[in-house]
Protein backbone atom coordinates (compact mmCIF):
# COMPACT_ATOMS: atom_id res chain seq x y z
CA UNK A 1 0.00 0.00 0.00
CA UNK A 2 2.87 2.40 0.82
CA UNK A 3 4.49 1.88 -2.59
CA UNK A 4 1.20 2.34 -4.39
CA UNK A 5 0.52 5.57 -2.52
CA UNK A 6 4.01 6.87 -3.32
CA UNK A 7 3.59 6.31 -7.06
CA UNK A 8 0.14 7.89 -7.01
CA UNK A 9 1.40 10.95 -5.14
CA UNK A 10 4.31 11.33 -7.57
CA UNK A 11 2.04 11.19 -10.61
CA UNK A 12 -0.38 13.72 -9.10
CA UNK A 13 2.51 16.06 -8.35
CA UNK A 14 3.68 16.05 -11.96
CA UNK A 15 0.19 16.25 -13.49
CA UNK A 16 -2.77 16.99 -11.21
CA UNK A 17 -5.18 16.12 -14.05
CA UNK A 18 -3.98 12.51 -14.18
CA UNK A 19 -6.81 10.25 -12.94
CA UNK A 20 -5.41 6.75 -13.53
CA UNK A 21 -2.67 5.98 -10.99
CA UNK A 22 -2.13 2.51 -12.44
CA UNK A 23 -0.47 3.87 -15.59
CA UNK A 24 2.31 6.45 -15.35
CA UNK A 25 2.59 8.01 -18.79
CA UNK A 26 2.59 11.45 -20.39
CA UNK A 27 3.10 13.00 -16.96
CA UNK A 28 4.81 16.04 -18.35
CA UNK A 29 4.14 18.06 -21.45
CA UNK A 30 7.03 17.68 -23.86
CA UNK A 31 7.49 18.74 -27.48
CA UNK A 32 7.17 15.13 -28.61
CA UNK A 33 4.68 12.41 -27.81
CA UNK A 34 5.94 9.99 -25.24
CA UNK A 35 4.80 6.59 -24.12
CA UNK A 36 6.24 5.36 -20.85
CA UNK A 37 6.57 1.75 -19.86
CA UNK A 38 3.52 0.78 -17.73
CA UNK A 39 5.28 -2.18 -16.07
CA UNK A 40 7.09 -1.07 -12.93
CA UNK A 41 9.26 -2.92 -10.45
CA UNK A 42 7.25 -2.71 -7.24
CA UNK A 43 10.21 -3.74 -5.10
CA UNK A 44 11.76 -0.28 -5.46
CA UNK A 45 10.70 3.18 -6.69
CA UNK A 46 10.89 3.55 -10.48
CA UNK A 47 13.88 5.47 -11.87
CA UNK A 48 13.17 9.04 -12.89
CA UNK A 49 14.10 8.15 -16.48
CA UNK A 50 10.71 6.42 -16.72
CA UNK A 51 8.94 9.68 -15.93
CA UNK A 52 10.73 12.03 -18.31
CA UNK A 53 11.46 11.99 -22.01
CA UNK A 54 15.21 11.84 -22.64
CA UNK A 55 16.16 13.04 -26.09
CA UNK A 56 18.58 15.42 -27.74
CA UNK A 57 16.95 18.66 -26.71
CA UNK A 58 16.64 21.38 -29.30
CA UNK A 59 18.21 24.65 -28.25
CA UNK A 60 15.92 27.63 -28.74
CA UNK A 61 17.51 31.07 -28.39
CA UNK A 62 15.59 33.03 -25.76
CA UNK A 63 13.96 36.35 -26.53
CA UNK A 64 15.45 39.46 -24.96
CA UNK A 65 12.77 39.55 -22.27
CA UNK A 66 13.40 35.94 -21.28
CA UNK A 67 17.19 35.95 -21.11
CA UNK A 68 18.46 34.18 -17.99
CA UNK A 69 20.56 36.57 -15.88
CA UNK A 70 24.07 35.42 -15.02
CA UNK A 71 24.10 34.84 -11.27
CA UNK A 72 27.19 32.65 -11.10
CA UNK A 73 29.97 31.35 -13.30
CA UNK A 74 32.03 28.18 -13.38
CA UNK A 75 35.41 27.45 -14.97
CA UNK A 76 34.66 24.00 -16.37
CA UNK A 77 37.65 22.65 -14.44
CA UNK A 78 36.13 19.76 -12.48
CA UNK A 79 37.10 19.91 -8.81
CA UNK A 80 36.10 16.40 -7.88
CA UNK A 81 33.87 13.49 -8.82
CA UNK A 82 31.01 12.89 -6.41
CA UNK A 83 28.71 9.91 -6.09
CA UNK A 84 24.92 10.03 -6.18
CA UNK A 85 23.37 8.68 -2.97
CA UNK A 86 19.72 9.37 -3.76
CA UNK A 87 17.71 10.70 -6.70
CA UNK A 88 13.94 10.80 -6.52
CA UNK A 89 10.90 12.51 -5.08
CA UNK A 90 11.16 14.88 -2.14
CA UNK A 91 8.85 15.24 0.85
CA UNK A 92 7.45 18.50 -0.55
CA UNK A 93 6.43 16.80 -3.79
CA UNK A 94 9.38 17.96 -5.90
CA UNK A 95 12.58 16.14 -6.78
CA UNK A 96 15.85 16.01 -4.93
CA UNK A 97 19.34 14.56 -5.30
CA UNK A 98 21.82 13.76 -2.54
CA UNK A 99 25.50 13.55 -3.45
CA UNK A 100 28.49 12.21 -1.54
CA UNK A 101 31.49 14.54 -1.90
CA UNK A 102 34.36 16.10 -0.01
CA UNK A 103 36.14 18.99 -1.71
CA UNK A 104 33.08 21.08 -2.63
CA UNK A 105 31.87 20.91 0.98
CA UNK A 106 34.94 22.66 2.39
CA UNK A 107 33.30 26.10 2.40
CA UNK A 108 29.72 25.31 1.38
CA UNK A 109 26.72 27.35 2.52
CA UNK A 110 23.00 26.93 2.01
CA UNK A 111 21.99 28.51 -1.28
CA UNK A 112 25.42 28.06 -2.88
CA UNK A 113 25.59 27.02 -6.53
CA UNK A 114 27.34 23.80 -7.47
CA UNK A 115 27.55 22.52 -11.04
CA UNK A 116 26.61 18.83 -11.21
CA UNK A 117 27.62 17.42 -14.60
CA UNK A 118 27.52 20.99 -15.85
CA UNK A 119 24.07 21.80 -14.44
CA UNK A 120 23.96 24.73 -12.02
CA UNK A 121 22.04 23.52 -8.94
CA UNK A 122 21.34 25.11 -5.56
CA UNK A 123 22.45 23.51 -2.29
CA UNK A 124 19.36 23.00 -0.11
CA UNK A 125 20.98 20.96 2.66
CA UNK A 126 24.41 19.63 3.59
CA UNK A 127 26.15 17.59 6.27
CA UNK A 128 29.91 17.93 6.55
CA UNK A 129 30.10 15.01 8.98
CA UNK A 130 28.65 12.53 6.48
CA UNK A 131 30.18 14.46 3.53
CA UNK A 132 26.85 14.84 1.73
CA UNK A 133 24.90 17.69 0.19
CA UNK A 134 21.44 17.92 -1.31
CA UNK A 135 20.16 19.86 -4.33
CA UNK A 136 16.66 20.41 -5.64
CA UNK A 137 15.64 19.48 -9.18
CA UNK A 138 12.83 20.90 -11.29
CA UNK A 139 10.93 18.81 -13.87
CA UNK A 140 12.34 21.06 -16.62
CA UNK A 141 15.91 20.37 -15.45
CA UNK A 142 15.27 16.64 -15.64
CA UNK A 143 13.72 17.02 -19.09
CA UNK A 144 16.47 19.04 -20.74
CA UNK A 145 19.57 17.49 -19.11
CA UNK A 146 21.04 14.01 -18.79
CA UNK A 147 20.62 14.05 -14.98
CA UNK A 148 17.48 11.96 -15.40
CA UNK A 149 19.70 9.00 -16.35
CA UNK A 150 21.53 9.08 -13.02
CA UNK A 151 20.84 6.56 -10.27
CA UNK A 152 22.31 5.77 -6.83
CA UNK A 153 25.97 4.98 -7.32
CA UNK A 154 26.41 7.14 -10.43
CA UNK A 155 29.54 9.29 -10.52
CA UNK A 156 29.13 13.00 -11.33
CA UNK A 157 31.40 15.97 -12.05
CA UNK A 158 31.31 18.68 -9.36
CA UNK A 159 32.44 22.29 -9.70
CA UNK A 160 31.86 25.19 -7.31
CA UNK A 161 30.92 28.65 -8.55
CA UNK A 162 33.81 30.90 -9.51
CA UNK A 163 35.19 33.42 -7.01
CA UNK A 164 36.76 36.76 -8.06
CA UNK A 165 40.09 35.48 -6.74
CA UNK A 166 39.93 32.17 -8.64
CA UNK A 167 42.08 31.56 -11.69
CA UNK A 168 40.10 31.15 -14.91
CA UNK A 169 41.60 27.83 -15.97
CA UNK A 170 38.85 26.86 -18.39
CA UNK A 171 36.26 29.17 -19.96
CA UNK A 172 33.07 30.94 -18.91
CA UNK A 173 30.55 28.20 -18.05
CA UNK A 174 27.15 29.31 -16.74
CA UNK A 175 25.78 25.93 -15.77
CA UNK A 176 22.76 26.58 -18.02
CA UNK A 177 22.68 23.38 -20.08
CA UNK A 178 21.65 24.09 -23.69
CA UNK A 179 20.79 20.47 -24.47
CA UNK A 180 22.23 17.00 -24.59
CA UNK A 181 24.38 15.01 -26.96
CA UNK A 182 24.88 11.29 -27.46
CA UNK A 183 28.27 9.61 -27.36
CA UNK A 184 28.61 7.83 -30.70
CA UNK A 185 32.30 7.01 -30.73
CA UNK A 186 35.28 6.41 -28.44
CA UNK A 187 38.75 5.59 -29.73
CA UNK A 188 42.14 5.46 -28.06
CA UNK A 189 45.31 7.01 -29.44
CA UNK A 190 48.22 6.29 -27.15
CA UNK A 191 47.14 7.25 -23.64
CA UNK A 192 44.63 9.81 -24.97
CA UNK A 193 40.98 9.20 -25.78
CA UNK A 194 38.99 10.51 -28.75
CA UNK A 195 35.29 11.05 -28.04
CA UNK A 196 32.69 11.78 -30.72
CA UNK A 197 29.31 13.28 -29.79
CA UNK A 198 26.16 13.68 -31.88
CA UNK A 199 23.80 16.56 -31.15
CA UNK A 200 21.01 18.60 -32.74
CA UNK A 201 21.58 21.10 -35.60
CA UNK A 202 20.34 23.87 -33.29
CA UNK A 203 23.32 23.28 -31.02
CA UNK A 204 25.85 22.25 -33.65
CA UNK A 205 25.74 25.68 -35.31
CA UNK A 206 27.37 27.18 -32.19
CA UNK A 207 30.16 24.58 -32.11
CA UNK A 208 33.34 25.45 -34.02
CA UNK A 209 36.75 23.77 -34.40
CA UNK A 210 39.21 24.92 -31.71
CA UNK A 211 36.33 26.53 -29.84
CA UNK A 212 35.22 25.95 -26.26
CA UNK A 213 32.43 23.62 -25.19
CA UNK A 214 31.35 22.29 -21.79
CA UNK A 215 30.60 18.55 -21.85
CA UNK A 216 29.06 17.38 -18.58
CA UNK A 217 30.51 20.57 -17.13
CA UNK A 218 34.06 19.88 -18.32
CA UNK A 219 35.72 22.69 -20.29
CA UNK A 220 36.99 21.13 -23.51
CA UNK A 221 38.36 22.20 -26.87
CA UNK A 222 36.51 21.05 -29.98
CA UNK A 223 38.82 19.39 -32.50
CA UNK A 224 36.54 18.83 -35.51
CA UNK A 225 32.91 19.45 -36.45
CA UNK A 226 31.20 16.98 -38.80
CA UNK A 227 28.22 18.93 -40.15
CA UNK A 228 27.06 16.10 -42.42
CA UNK A 229 26.92 13.72 -39.43
CA UNK A 230 25.67 16.23 -36.88
CA UNK A 231 28.70 15.46 -34.71
CA UNK A 232 31.81 16.96 -33.18
CA UNK A 233 34.78 15.41 -31.42
CA UNK A 234 37.36 16.20 -28.77
CA UNK A 235 40.32 14.51 -27.15
CA UNK A 236 40.92 13.75 -23.47
CA UNK A 237 44.47 13.48 -22.18
CA UNK A 238 45.27 10.85 -19.58
CA UNK A 239 45.03 13.21 -16.59
CA UNK A 240 41.60 14.47 -17.63
CA UNK A 241 40.38 10.90 -18.12
CA UNK A 242 41.21 10.15 -14.48
CA UNK A 243 39.32 13.15 -13.14
CA UNK A 244 36.05 13.47 -15.10
CA UNK A 245 33.11 11.16 -15.73
CA UNK A 246 33.09 11.22 -19.55
CA UNK A 247 35.40 8.18 -20.03
CA UNK A 248 33.14 6.18 -17.70
CA UNK A 249 30.15 6.64 -20.00
CA UNK A 250 29.36 4.13 -22.75
CA UNK A 251 28.48 4.69 -26.38
CA UNK A 252 24.81 5.63 -26.56
CA UNK A 253 24.74 7.48 -23.23
CA UNK A 254 23.86 11.17 -22.99
CA UNK A 255 26.10 14.08 -21.98
CA UNK A 256 25.09 17.62 -21.04
CA UNK A 257 26.22 20.30 -23.47
CA UNK A 258 26.67 24.03 -22.96
CA UNK A 259 28.00 25.92 -25.96
CA UNK A 260 30.26 28.96 -25.66
CA UNK A 261 28.11 31.90 -24.56
CA UNK A 262 30.16 34.33 -26.69
CA UNK A 263 28.79 32.74 -29.85
CA UNK A 264 25.21 33.28 -28.67
CA UNK A 265 25.91 36.92 -27.81
CA UNK A 266 27.42 37.54 -31.26
CA UNK A 267 24.40 35.97 -32.95
CA UNK A 268 22.08 38.10 -30.83
CA UNK A 269 23.88 41.32 -31.73
CA UNK A 270 23.93 40.51 -35.45
CA UNK A 271 20.27 39.51 -35.54
CA UNK A 272 19.19 42.68 -33.70
CA UNK A 273 20.48 44.92 -36.49
CA UNK A 274 22.78 46.73 -34.06
CA UNK A 275 25.78 46.37 -36.38
CA UNK A 276 24.32 48.38 -39.28
CA UNK A 277 23.97 51.67 -37.33
CA UNK A 278 27.62 51.34 -36.26
CA UNK A 279 28.76 50.93 -39.88
CA UNK A 280 26.72 53.93 -41.04
CA UNK A 281 28.20 56.15 -38.34
Amino acid sequence: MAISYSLTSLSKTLNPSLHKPSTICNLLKTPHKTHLTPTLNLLKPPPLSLLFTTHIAKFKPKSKSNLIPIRCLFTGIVEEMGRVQYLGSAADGGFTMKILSKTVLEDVNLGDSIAVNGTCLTVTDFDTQSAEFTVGLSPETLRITSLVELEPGSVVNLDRALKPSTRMGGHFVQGHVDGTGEIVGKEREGDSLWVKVKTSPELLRYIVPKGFIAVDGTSLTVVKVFDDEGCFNFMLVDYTQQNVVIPLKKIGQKVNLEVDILGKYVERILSSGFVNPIKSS
Side-chain angles (χ1 to χ4, degrees):
M1 290 298 291
I3 296 177
S4 175
Y5 176 78
S6 176
L7 294 177
T8 302
S9 300
L10 181 58
S11 63
K12 287 181 178 179
T13 299
L14 296 174
N15 191 341
S17 63
L18 191 64
H19 299 295
K20 295 183 178 181
S22 59
T23 303
I24 301 180
C25 61
N26 296 327
L27 297 180
L28 298 171
K29 294 181 180 179
T30 58
H32 305 285
K33 294 181 179 179
T34 59
H35 298 282
L36 303 177
T37 306
T39 304
L40 300 176
N41 181 2
L42 296 181
L43 296 180
K44 59 181 180 180
L48 290 181
S49 56
L50 289 178
L51 306 179
F52 297 88
T53 301
T54 56
H55 58 279
I56 297 178
K58 292 185 177 181
F59 170 69
K60 298 180 180 180
K62 295 178 175 59
S63 63
K64 185 176 181 180
S65 61
N66 292 326
L67 287 176
I68 300 175
I70 300 177
R71 294 190 175 92
C72 58
L73 283 174
F74 304 90
T75 66
I77 304 299
V78 177
E79 294 188 86
E80 71 171 316
M81 291 190 289
R83 188 173 299 276
V84 176
Q85 299 292 88
Y86 173 80
L87 175 61
S89 58
D92 60 2
F95 299 95
T96 187
M97 178 164 54
K98 182 178 290 186
I99 300 172
L100 182 67
S101 64
K102 183 179 179 181
T103 302
V104 299
L105 289 181
E106 291 176 355
D107 57 354
V108 70
N109 292 291
L110 290 178
D112 280 357
S113 296
I114 294 179
V116 180
N117 276 1
T119 308
C120 180
L121 300 174
T122 302
V123 176
T124 59
D125 191 20
F126 67 91
D127 187 340
T128 55
Q129 296 298 319
S130 58
E132 295 177 336
F133 71 93
T134 302
V135 293
L137 298 167
S138 70
E140 181 64 10
T141 298
L142 292 170
R143 266 193 296 264
I144 200 172
T145 71
S146 65
L147 297 182
V148 71
E149 295 185 349
L150 298 175
E151 56 187 18
S154 295
V155 180
V156 291
N157 291 330
L158 299 177
D159 185 15
R160 286 173 292 185
L162 180 66
K163 291 182 177 181
S165 59
T166 305
R167 289 188 178 186
M168 175 52 71
H171 72 283
F172 291 125
V173 178
Q174 293 180 274
H176 301 158
V177 176
D178 292 313
T180 60
E182 178 184 345
I183 297 176
V184 295
K186 294 171 67 177
E187 183 179 348
R188 289 208 164 273
E189 182 177 342
D191 63 354
S192 296
L193 178 68
W194 285 99
V195 181
K196 192 173 186 179
V197 175
K198 183 179 179 66
T199 189
S200 65
E202 289 79 7
L203 276 183
L204 197 65
R205 67 177 178 174
Y206 296 106
I207 302 173
V208 297
K210 311 307 178 185
F212 287 122
I213 190 166
V215 181
D216 273 347
T218 305
S219 176
L220 297 169
T221 302
V222 177
V223 178
K224 291 183 180 180
V225 178
F226 308 90
D227 291 308
D228 55 336
E229 302 177 37
C231 299
F232 67 94
N233 69 357
F234 53 87
M235 177 175 276
L236 301 175
V237 299
D238 182 62
Y239 177 83
T240 304
Q241 293 175 52
Q242 307 303 319
N243 291 277
V244 301
V245 302
I246 299 171
L248 302 177
K249 292 192 171 183
K250 301 177 181 178
I251 292 178
Q253 284 191 280
K254 298 288 194 300
V255 289
N256 290 328
L257 300 177
E258 181 185 329
V259 298
D260 190 357
I261 189 175
L262 296 180
K264 291 184 282 186
Y265 278 132
V266 170
E267 181 186 61
R268 177 68 179 172
I269 293 173
L270 294 176
S271 63
S272 67
F274 181 69
V275 176
N276 292 331
I278 294 179
K279 288 183 178 179
S280 60
S281 62

